[in-house]
Amino acid sequence: MDLPTLWFWVITALWTGYFFLEGFDFGVGMLTRLLARDNTERRVLVNTIGPVWDGNEVWVIVAIGATFAAFPPWYATMLSAEYLPVLLILLALIGRGVAFEYRGKVDSDRWRHGWDLVILLGSWIPPLGWGLVITGVATGLPIGKDGVLEGGLGALFTWPAVLGALALAGFSLVHGSVFVALKTDGEIRRRARALALRVGPLCLLPMAVLMVLVQVRQGGLVTIVIAAVGLLAGAGALVRLAAGREGQAFALLGVLIASVVVSLFGSDFPTIIASTVDPSYSLTVANAASSPYTLGVITWVAAFGTPAVLVYQGWTYWVFRRRISAAHIPPVHVP
């Protein structure tokens, strides 16, 4: 495998890790109004992701940074064509991070309700936006000869891209519900599990339709098999959750999102952004790659840096592995 191909799959893996890890903490944010009945239960939900949500965001920073280093034309075309969705995502992520830090600074229901609304919006907008962006890039955009989007921002809202937005948001909601059932105890755990079972089939349906649509349009034998594995994993997750096996359901949802990302990125490989204006304007792994020297340098950096990041993040999850409930939440204390 040459270095451009290696880095294409590294970037695919980074997006997979991001959607798996950030997917459940987006889902927890979505549940702050759906699942929690009072401030104590909202604090339980926020505490389930408190030690890990900012670490999860590192994956998207590394994914975009790796794209810039390994495939500059891919980075430039994706972020310039999709600048408005990406800008909204960034604003939502910034607001969400600030809300986590500030909602407990003042003992006021009005204050907390305001920041809870920011958390809610900051948890819905990114998965909708990333689903639109990544699916649009993977299924093709009206890119001209100079790499500029043709047709205005409305050209981004293709049927596959809109389906991708709904798919990632629906997945995040289910993933977050299963995570809450896995990390909490008592009544809130029972409610989270019941919610995931009730809305799971409907929320995962856009993802199933997207996988079938992409494979019918541009898939090959390998990606069809991967997509089929993902569909089975999604169904299996709901079956295992119904049996009370929240950990197995959580892992199977991981298989599902990995299958979706790999089948999306791999279905048109080696093309990385297909131009719907003229195929000759498309970006491929070969014509978008950096120089061999640059790819060699970032490969060595990744070889030493990635294990350290993985160990640190794994240690964080291990330290905060225990279930929590409303009984573990202390009274409100304003500094």
Side-chain angles (χ1 to χ4, degrees):
M1 181 184 296
D2 58 15
L3 285 180
T5 302
L6 171 67
W7 274 99
F8 173 80
W9 290 114
V10 168
I11 291 168
T12 303
L14 290 168
W15 281 109
T16 301
Y18 175 65
F19 291 143
F20 174 69
L21 295 173
E22 192 87 308
F24 72 73
D25 73 47
F26 285 147
V28 172
M30 296 172 181
L31 294 170
T32 52
R33 289 292 181 93
L34 289 173
L35 195 64
R37 293 178 177 172
D38 54 33
N39 182 50
T40 301
E41 291 191 348
R42 288 192 187 92
R43 291 176 66 195
V44 171
L45 294 180
V46 171
N47 275 274
T48 61
I49 57 172
V52 298
W53 69 266
D54 48 355
N56 294 342
E57 289 187 353
V58 170
W59 286 74
V60 72
I61 297 171
V62 177
I64 292 176
T67 305
F68 170 73
F71 301 100
W74 185 7
Y75 168 89
T77 301
M78 180 174 71
L79 294 190
S80 63
E82 310 261 12
Y83 75 93
L84 187 56
V86 172
L87 177 62
L88 291 175
I89 291 168
L90 291 177
L91 292 175
L93 290 175
I94 292 170
R96 182 170 177 266
V98 173
F100 283 139
E101 299 294 333
Y102 275 75
R103 77 176 299 278
K105 300 295 185 185
V106 176
D107 187 13
S108 160
D109 287 339
R110 186 176 179 182
W111 173 271
R112 283 190 289 266
H113 288 166
W115 288 116
D116 286 343
L117 179 61
V118 176
I119 291 174
L120 188 69
L121 293 175
S123 299
W124 276 100
I125 292 174
L128 286 168
W130 284 130
L132 185 81
V133 170
I134 296 301
T135 308
V137 168
T139 56
L141 293 171
I143 300 297
K145 185 178 182 180
D146 52 1
V148 175
L149 181 73
E150 295 186 359
L153 290 172
L156 300 177
F157 293 87
T158 62
W159 281 111
V162 172
L163 198 56
L166 296 175
L168 191 56
F171 169 81
S172 297
L173 182 62
V174 176
H175 201 29
S177 302
V178 173
F179 180 74
V180 171
L182 184 64
K183 279 291 295 178
T184 62
D185 212 349
E187 176 62 17
I188 198 165
R189 176 188 179 189
R190 186 196 64 76
R191 254 185 274 139
R193 183 166 161 266
L195 178 68
L197 288 171
R198 189 164 61 248
V199 304
L202 181 62
C203 288
L204 296 181
L205 182 61
M207 190 162 273
V209 175
L210 176 66
M211 281 199 287
V212 172
L213 177 66
V214 170
Q215 295 313 310
V216 168
R217 288 178 53 173
Q218 60 195 63
L221 178 61
V222 174
T223 55
I224 288 173
V225 171
I226 293 171
V229 170
L231 291 173
L232 291 174
L238 296 178
V239 170
R240 298 315 295 160
L241 184 64
R245 300 290 186 179
E246 291 124 353
Q248 294 178 13
F250 187 73
L252 286 168
L253 287 173
V255 175
L256 169 61
I257 193 63
S259 302
V260 171
V261 178
V262 172
S263 61
L264 264 180
F265 277 79
S267 60
D268 215 18
F269 180 82
T271 299
I272 50 180
I273 299 183
S275 170
T276 56
V277 176
D278 187 329
S280 66
Y281 301 155
S282 298
L283 296 178
T284 67
V285 168
N287 68 23
S290 292
S291 67
Y293 175 78
T294 301
L295 292 175
V297 169
I298 62 174
T299 300
W300 280 107
V301 171
F304 285 99
T306 303
V309 173
L310 292 176
V311 168
Y312 171 76
Q313 197 157 22
W315 176 79
T316 304
Y317 277 91
W318 175 255
V319 169
F320 296 100
R321 67 188 181 280
R322 297 187 185 282
R323 292 180 184 272
I324 62 174
S325 69
H328 297 108
I329 302 299
V332 174
H333 172 70
V334 178

